[in-house]
Amino acid sequence: MVSGAVRRYPGGRSVGPIDIDVRAGEVLALMGSNGAGKSTLLRLLATADRTDCGRVSWWGDPSPRRARRQMGYAADEPVEETTLSPRQATYFWCRQWVRDPDVARRLTSETLASLGLGDRADEPVGTLSYGLRRRLALAQALAHQPALALFDEPSAGLDPDGVAVVTAALRARAAAGLTTVVASNDPEFVAGVADRVAMLHQGRCLRVAPLPELLAEVPRRRIVELRVGEAVPGRNGPHAAAGTGPTMAGEAADDRGPGWAQRTLTLAVTERLASLAGVVVLSAADGLVVAELEEEAALAPLVAAADSVGSGVRSLEVRRPDLRECFPALVGRDAGGGQVDAPATLPARGSR
Amino acid sequence: MNATMPIRRRAARGAIPGAAPRRAVLARLMPRGTLGRELLVVAARRRALALKVGIPLILALPLIIGGAPTFWAGMLLTVLVAMMGAVGTAVNLARARQSGLLVRLALVPRPGWRVVGGVVGAGAIVDLLQLLPVIALVAAAGGAAPDQWAALLLAVMAGLLTGSLLGCLVACLAGGVGEVLLDVCVLLAPLLFFGGLFTGVPRLGWGWTVATIDPFGQLGSAFIGALGGTPAFSPATVLLVSTVAIVVVLAAVGLLSRPLLERR
């Protein structure tokens, strides 16, 4: 539990006051823009840093020494001696908590296997890729099965398979009643792993809520995806012949370069939508136009506008915004619900 | 093209140091604490280990074979031991802080003296091992008596640990690895000077007292004695003072361990 915790840095920058209550057995994700205070909060929880004022307690106990007995922490940079093997490195950290060497050996092997490092466990760490070293750092923090595990950007540098493996490991911890706090700006990872999400902004915790609740905070908004340019399988266009992919309807077989017709069509649709009230075009590229509806009523004019383009629009999909799209709006909101420095609209995907 | 890929990958793995049978032996060793971990890391770096053993020998050989005056040879060898202990520990700890290892070690539920003591102890053991050929050469060349051998060995250990203590202090104060050498020299210079290494041990007064309790003064004397010169202190005095110095230094490292681990 963090109550009114403030951490001041040289130069006048400070984080806090932060109030947050981590529940037993949950996976809590800390999200926020760079410099929002995620890593600082994580270090305070990990006892790696001290508050300048306020209070941090673990299971009702303010003693960092006692808290360390039940804690595991992995910082955002994987650090390990390159000459040791993952098994040796993980065993070493496990043994700092687990007195029985046989139990430590078993836990080490199980943890490495659960994070997909079983077959590389006896190779030097120096031979592992960055992603595998990230997994190793997590294994070292998890091997002793701490009641509270704290990870800074655990999905950074991981491939999709790695993200799935780590997600599964953290969900397994939650199922076993063990608590995990992750600081992450990876919306897909957070959506897959977190029970609750804490949104941090400028050193303050704005909201702590389950993900669906947070997403519902942007209730009126809808995202529309329009695919422009119909794919014509088997058409013998100049690019199909060159093996560069399917050609698009409306793509003239002239010398104006590959994808020229599609770009023209995309531009036409974008201009059409941008002229509509209540519609904000978020991105337009490669035949995909993403727009945001600021109100439901804007949907009908948008469909009509898309229809007017003719056969150029291949598909139209309306959906709720995902965490990635909600993220800037959520972190830009102050505690009272007003806008602090949030943009009027969500920024384009490509800019994130 | 595709058929060659697995072969290339295997070759690349094999080229990485440590893939040899040595790995098989070392890989079976599981480090329990920081002492074991540090020793394992050092043992895996054969080239660095060979260099560490070779360099003191290269420095000592001309002194001993060339028949350098025992006072100067003793002084140079003492400075070598002091620098090895202090710089080695300070650089090791400063690097550990920069890499984030010290932060992680600070969070383990173990007493700080055990954690830091393991790092310092491993450094001192490795330093002693790499100095053993030099000590043997010195004692053999000077025709040292058994009590002088023992006094020299213990004085070297005390000198290395005192250097390590200074290294811990420097690691607490220094802003980074780059500062370490300067800080070590600033701290070591007065200790070496008051140990009578450059001017000889005063016969009386506070100068004699300081030189007597200074582990580097004792070490210099032990080297001079082992090389066949006239030492300022008897082997019994060297043994006694070095033993006390080792105890005091270990206690001081214990006291410094928490501030060292928790400094950010």
mmCIF file of all heavy atoms in Angstrom, chain B residues 1-16:
data_model
loop_
_atom_site.group_PDB
_atom_site.id
_atom_site.type_symbol
_atom_site.label_atom_id
_atom_site.label_comp_id
_atom_site.label_asym_id
_atom_site.label_seq_id
_atom_site.Cartn_x
_atom_site.Cartn_y
_atom_site.Cartn_z
ATOM 1 N N MET B 1 21.986 -21.965 -49.640
ATOM 2 C CA MET B 1 22.028 -20.869 -48.654
ATOM 3 C C MET B 1 21.393 -21.329 -47.350
ATOM 4 O O MET B 1 21.979 -21.247 -46.281
ATOM 5 C CB MET B 1 21.280 -19.669 -49.239
ATOM 6 C CG MET B 1 21.262 -18.457 -48.330
ATOM 7 S SD MET B 1 22.878 -17.705 -48.194
ATOM 8 C CE MET B 1 22.544 -16.393 -47.062
ATOM 9 N N ASN B 2 20.168 -21.874 -47.486
ATOM 10 C CA ASN B 2 19.469 -22.302 -46.273
ATOM 11 C C ASN B 2 20.175 -23.452 -45.583
ATOM 12 O O ASN B 2 20.162 -23.555 -44.373
ATOM 13 C CB ASN B 2 18.030 -22.716 -46.620
ATOM 14 C CG ASN B 2 17.173 -21.477 -46.834
ATOM 15 O OD1 ASN B 2 17.567 -20.394 -46.403
ATOM 16 N ND2 ASN B 2 16.057 -21.632 -47.505
ATOM 17 N N ALA B 3 20.789 -24.329 -46.412
ATOM 18 C CA ALA B 3 21.426 -25.513 -45.822
ATOM 19 C C ALA B 3 22.621 -25.146 -44.955
ATOM 20 O O ALA B 3 22.967 -25.865 -44.032
ATOM 21 C CB ALA B 3 21.871 -26.447 -46.938
ATOM 22 N N THR B 4 23.236 -24.008 -45.246
ATOM 23 C CA THR B 4 24.429 -23.636 -44.473
ATOM 24 C C THR B 4 24.081 -22.938 -43.154
ATOM 25 O O THR B 4 24.920 -22.821 -42.284
ATOM 26 C CB THR B 4 25.338 -22.690 -45.282
ATOM 27 O OG1 THR B 4 24.585 -21.515 -45.558
ATOM 28 C CG2 THR B 4 25.823 -23.330 -46.553
ATOM 29 N N MET B 5 22.839 -22.478 -43.015
ATOM 30 C CA MET B 5 22.492 -21.672 -41.846
ATOM 31 C C MET B 5 22.717 -22.391 -40.507
ATOM 32 O O MET B 5 23.355 -21.835 -39.622
ATOM 33 C CB MET B 5 21.038 -21.187 -41.950
ATOM 34 C CG MET B 5 20.856 -20.100 -42.971
ATOM 35 S SD MET B 5 21.898 -18.685 -42.636
ATOM 36 C CE MET B 5 20.987 -17.959 -41.280
ATOM 37 N N PRO B 6 22.210 -23.656 -40.350
ATOM 38 C CA PRO B 6 22.412 -24.317 -39.058
ATOM 39 C C PRO B 6 23.893 -24.491 -38.732
ATOM 40 O O PRO B 6 24.302 -24.345 -37.602
ATOM 41 C CB PRO B 6 21.728 -25.670 -39.229
ATOM 42 C CG PRO B 6 20.810 -25.499 -40.388
ATOM 43 C CD PRO B 6 21.450 -24.492 -41.270
ATOM 44 N N ILE B 7 24.694 -24.762 -39.780
ATOM 45 C CA ILE B 7 26.123 -24.968 -39.561
ATOM 46 C C ILE B 7 26.758 -23.678 -39.050
ATOM 47 O O ILE B 7 27.515 -23.662 -38.104
ATOM 48 C CB ILE B 7 26.810 -25.420 -40.873
ATOM 49 C CG1 ILE B 7 26.219 -26.765 -41.288
ATOM 50 C CG2 ILE B 7 28.313 -25.528 -40.710
ATOM 51 C CD1 ILE B 7 26.517 -27.172 -42.697
ATOM 52 N N ARG B 8 26.368 -22.565 -39.679
ATOM 53 C CA ARG B 8 26.901 -21.267 -39.262
ATOM 54 C C ARG B 8 26.536 -20.986 -37.816
ATOM 55 O O ARG B 8 27.320 -20.489 -37.045
ATOM 56 C CB ARG B 8 26.334 -20.161 -40.138
ATOM 57 C CG ARG B 8 27.044 -20.059 -41.446
ATOM 58 C CD ARG B 8 26.565 -18.860 -42.177
ATOM 59 N NE ARG B 8 27.147 -18.798 -43.497
ATOM 60 C CZ ARG B 8 26.853 -17.880 -44.370
ATOM 61 N NH1 ARG B 8 25.984 -16.958 -44.086
ATOM 62 N NH2 ARG B 8 27.414 -17.882 -45.561
ATOM 63 N N ARG B 9 25.274 -21.292 -37.473
ATOM 64 C CA ARG B 9 24.839 -20.993 -36.112
ATOM 65 C C ARG B 9 25.641 -21.809 -35.105
ATOM 66 O O ARG B 9 26.064 -21.322 -34.088
ATOM 67 C CB ARG B 9 23.345 -21.306 -35.987
ATOM 68 C CG ARG B 9 22.730 -20.662 -34.783
ATOM 69 C CD ARG B 9 21.241 -20.868 -34.767
ATOM 70 N NE ARG B 9 20.601 -20.284 -35.920
ATOM 71 C CZ ARG B 9 19.463 -20.740 -36.445
ATOM 72 N NH1 ARG B 9 18.882 -21.783 -35.937
ATOM 73 N NH2 ARG B 9 18.941 -20.174 -37.489
ATOM 74 N N ARG B 10 25.869 -23.085 -35.463
ATOM 75 C CA ARG B 10 26.626 -23.940 -34.535
ATOM 76 C C ARG B 10 28.052 -23.425 -34.387
ATOM 77 O O ARG B 10 28.592 -23.363 -33.301
ATOM 78 C CB ARG B 10 26.635 -25.373 -35.044
ATOM 79 C CG ARG B 10 25.408 -26.170 -34.621
ATOM 80 C CD ARG B 10 25.700 -27.648 -34.703
ATOM 81 N NE ARG B 10 25.954 -28.088 -36.062
ATOM 82 C CZ ARG B 10 25.007 -28.405 -36.933
ATOM 83 N NH1 ARG B 10 23.752 -28.343 -36.577
ATOM 84 N NH2 ARG B 10 25.317 -28.807 -38.133
ATOM 85 N N ALA B 11 28.593 -22.987 -35.536
ATOM 86 C CA ALA B 11 29.970 -22.491 -35.487
ATOM 87 C C ALA B 11 30.044 -21.238 -34.627
ATOM 88 O O ALA B 11 30.965 -21.058 -33.844
ATOM 89 C CB ALA B 11 30.449 -22.191 -36.898
ATOM 90 N N ALA B 12 29.022 -20.367 -34.754
ATOM 91 C CA ALA B 12 29.031 -19.127 -33.980
ATOM 92 C C ALA B 12 28.949 -19.432 -32.487
ATOM 93 O O ALA B 12 29.627 -18.823 -31.686
ATOM 94 C CB ALA B 12 27.857 -18.264 -34.403
ATOM 95 N N ARG B 13 28.117 -20.389 -32.140
ATOM 96 C CA ARG B 13 27.998 -20.720 -30.724
ATOM 97 C C ARG B 13 29.296 -21.289 -30.185
ATOM 98 O O ARG B 13 29.716 -20.990 -29.096
ATOM 99 C CB ARG B 13 26.887 -21.739 -30.519
ATOM 100 C CG ARG B 13 25.536 -21.089 -30.438
ATOM 101 C CD ARG B 13 24.529 -22.124 -30.029
ATOM 102 N NE ARG B 13 23.202 -21.622 -30.305
ATOM 103 C CZ ARG B 13 22.114 -22.342 -30.196
ATOM 104 N NH1 ARG B 13 22.198 -23.614 -29.841
ATOM 105 N NH2 ARG B 13 20.956 -21.843 -30.429
ATOM 106 N N GLY B 14 29.919 -22.128 -31.016
ATOM 107 C CA GLY B 14 31.152 -22.761 -30.577
ATOM 108 C C GLY B 14 32.271 -21.754 -30.391
ATOM 109 O O GLY B 14 33.154 -21.950 -29.581
ATOM 110 N N ALA B 15 32.184 -20.649 -31.138
ATOM 111 C CA ALA B 15 33.247 -19.652 -31.059
ATOM 112 C C ALA B 15 33.166 -18.809 -29.800
ATOM 113 O O ALA B 15 34.109 -18.141 -29.434
ATOM 114 C CB ALA B 15 33.170 -18.748 -32.273
ATOM 115 N N ILE B 16 32.033 -18.825 -29.142
ATOM 116 C CA ILE B 16 31.884 -17.996 -27.946
ATOM 117 C C ILE B 16 32.663 -18.624 -26.802
ATOM 118 O O ILE B 16 32.577 -19.835 -26.564
ATOM 119 C CB ILE B 16 30.397 -17.861 -27.591
ATOM 120 C CG1 ILE B 16 29.743 -16.953 -28.625
ATOM 121 C CG2 ILE B 16 30.214 -17.290 -26.196
ATOM 122 C CD1 ILE B 16 28.272 -16.998 -28.628
#
